Every structure is written in C-alpha cells, then in structure tokens.
Amino acid sequence: MDATPTLKRIAVTPGEPGGIGPDLCIMLAQQSHACQLVAIADPDLLMQRAESLGLKLEIKSFDPLSELVEQSAGSISVLPVKMNVPAQSGQLNMENSRYVLKTITRAAKGCIEGSFDAMVTGPVHKGVINDAGIVFSGHTEYIAGITGGHPVMMLATPGLRVALVTTHLPLADVAAAITHNRLRSVLRILAQDLQTRFNVANPKILVCGLNPHAGENGHLGLEEKEIIEPVLENLREQGLDLIGPLPADTLFTPKYLDTADAVLAMYHDQGLPVLKYKGFGNAVNITLGLPIVRTSVDHGTALDLAGTGSIDTGSIEYALATALAMSSSSPIRTHDA
C-alpha cells in the first residue's frame, strides 16, 4: 500500500530477552496495523521465540530511507541489535543488560532524529540491569536522560488516568522528594500534555494528599498545608483546574472521578494499585513531559510465561494505539466522560 502523509513509523523495543517482551512483539506482528512497526532487537531472538510459540514470522531489514508501508500480518521490520549471549525463555542473564539498554537508546535517539514517530517499550527487569553494575531506576528516567525534558509517569486505562509526582523511590524517601518546585512542574506538564497530546481543552485534575486523610488539617502531617495546598492555590490563580488535596482513600470514587480528566498521586503505590485493579491488561504506561512520544505496557517481564504463548496482548495493543493517537494529535479515549 502506498504511504500517506498520516502513516506513522513506530519503534518497538521488546525489553528483557528472557521475559515475555519478545513474545508480545511477535504476537503483535501477527496482525496488520495502520502503521509501520520496527522492532529494535536481535533478529535471532525473535525467530527463535517465534518458533517456540509456533508462529510464523517474516523479518524484513529496516531501512530508514525506505518508503513507509503499513504493517502486514506475519511480518515485521527489524533494526538489528545483537545480544551479548543467547537468551533462554524464563531466564535472566546479566550479560544481556547492555543489549537491553542499547535497544532503548536506539529507539529514543531515532525518535529525536525523526526516524520514528513514537516508541513502544516492552517490560524490562530493573534488578538484573542493576546486578550488572549499571545504575538503572527505570525506563522513564533512562529515556529522559537521552531525550531531555522533565518526565512525568502516567498510566491510563479506559475511565481513568493516574499520573505520579514521584516514581521509583523507596517509600522512606517520598516525603522529602515532594517539593514546591517538583509538584508545580509535574502539574504544569500534566495539564499541558493533557491539552496537547490528549485534546482535553480544560483538564480537571484531582490531586491526592500525601498523608492519611490528606493530613487532617495538620494533625497527620504537614506536607499538605506547607507544600501541596500553596502550590495548588498558586496554579489555580494561573488558570489550572485543580481539586485537592483529597484523601486518597476516597478520591478514587465515582463522586470525584466521573467529572475528572486525571488524578495526580504523590507516589507510585498510592495511585497505581487502583488503576491496575481497574484495568490490568488493558492499560498503558505513558511518559509525559518529553519531546518524544513514548508508551509502554503496564506489566512486568512475567518470566514464568515466556515462550508459552499463554499471555494477554491487550496492554501492548493499547500501548501501540495510544502511541499512534498521541503522535497524530488525535483524541485518545482513556476517560469515558
């Protein structure tokens, strides 16, 4: 099919080679898509895993200067990156940690250079990368180190978006990390990207308190009175529609969510358990605040399921659809309102 001006080229990184990321990439390639998928991976890994899954896969060498063509079922373009050692399904190997990071780097730089319109990332295993002697706190921070920008992590599922002030921090470090500047920056990025990436004209954002009962007027902590409330008041004066700080144990109810466009949680496990309970397997991880579009699956490497075929592709399909919509500046229906 002839390329059209709206056709997009999406980079896909399978992530940890011993996990289900390669499987997801192969299963995604079994369908046709209204875009060109480019897997940044070791072609041998994809072929070996396809054989384990009993699926046919045609690998086409990726040429960034070639004409864009839609993804056809059963084939995928590949930008080859060789693993250091062969991968075994279900097994981690520190020797392939730099390979994993190299695939992410290639995708991010390709987006910056204009070779790709967006990148979709499969799950990585932070532990094995750190065990290899590489400081790595997560995809979000690593990609931002390449592209620049101020990353804000947001997960979305139909009916709910949850963004985070802090991401992969020990709980003991969270309170100190919630500063006036950080909270102000995150809220501005969240509001701006809801407008520009998701076509929400005047986003209404619910803001969680940090402490139980949102601090109970200072009796259960002072972060709300000293940091969160002053920042919200300042940004309201600048025109942002912000509600809070609200107790997290009652915020996630229809009374509040039915009229909101997003929730801002103070830390990872304050907001994401609710979202994953609502939409696990049909949710997407989105990095806001970057000069590129990056989405990811909402789950981990699932080593025990690698090579079995017993996996759900819902999250990576949603991640791809979201990346396409964001890169096209099209409306994305992750809220039912």
Side-chain angles (χ1 to χ4, degrees), residues 80-258:
V81 178
K82 297 298 292 183
M83 292 185 296
N84 293 333
V85 295
Q88 300 295 323
S89 298
Q91 296 182 24
L92 299 173
N93 192 324
M94 292 187 298
E95 295 298 318
N96 281 324
S97 294
R98 294 191 184 279
Y99 155 79
V100 172
L101 297 183
K102 189 179 292 186
T103 64
I104 300 168
T105 300
R106 290 276 187 90
K109 288 185 176 180
C111 289
I112 288 289
E113 295 164 358
S115 299
F116 307 117
D117 296 291
M119 60 184 291
V120 176
T121 58
V124 298
H125 194 286
K126 291 190 286 289
V128 73
I129 295 174
N130 282 282
D131 288 344
I134 305 167
V135 177
F136 181 81
S137 59
H139 260 125
T140 301
E141 298 83 0
Y142 184 81
I143 294 170
I146 299 168
T147 65
H150 301 278
V152 172
M153 182 176 175
M154 183 175 80
L155 269 74
T157 193
L160 181 62
R161 301 184 184 103
V162 178
L164 305 176
V165 178
T166 63
T167 53
H168 302 111
L169 286 179
L171 188 58
D173 298 338
V174 167
I178 299 172
T179 64
H180 293 85
N181 287 340
R182 185 172 196 159
L183 180 57
R184 188 180 298 112
S185 175
V186 168
L187 278 165
R188 284 174 172 162
I189 290 168
L190 175 57
Q192 179 178 337
D193 277 18
L194 285 172
Q195 291 175 325
T196 60
R197 299 288 196 187
F198 293 83
N199 292 345
V200 180
N202 298 294
K204 180 177 181 179
I205 301 170
L206 307 178
V207 181
C208 294
L210 172 65
N211 298 293
H213 302 174
E216 207 164 87
N217 200 31
H219 295 290
L220 292 176
L222 296 174
E223 286 82 5
E224 285 77 14
K225 292 176 70 68
E226 295 181 353
I227 298 174
I228 301 174
E229 290 176 10
V231 170
L232 298 190
E233 184 59 31
N234 175 255
L235 292 177
R236 288 189 193 107
E237 292 174 356
Q238 298 178 33
L240 271 65
D241 189 355
L242 308 172
I243 309 299
L246 297 171
D249 63 344
T250 55
L251 180 156
F252 291 97
T253 56
K255 171 185 175 181
Y256 294 107
L257 295 180
D258 283 353

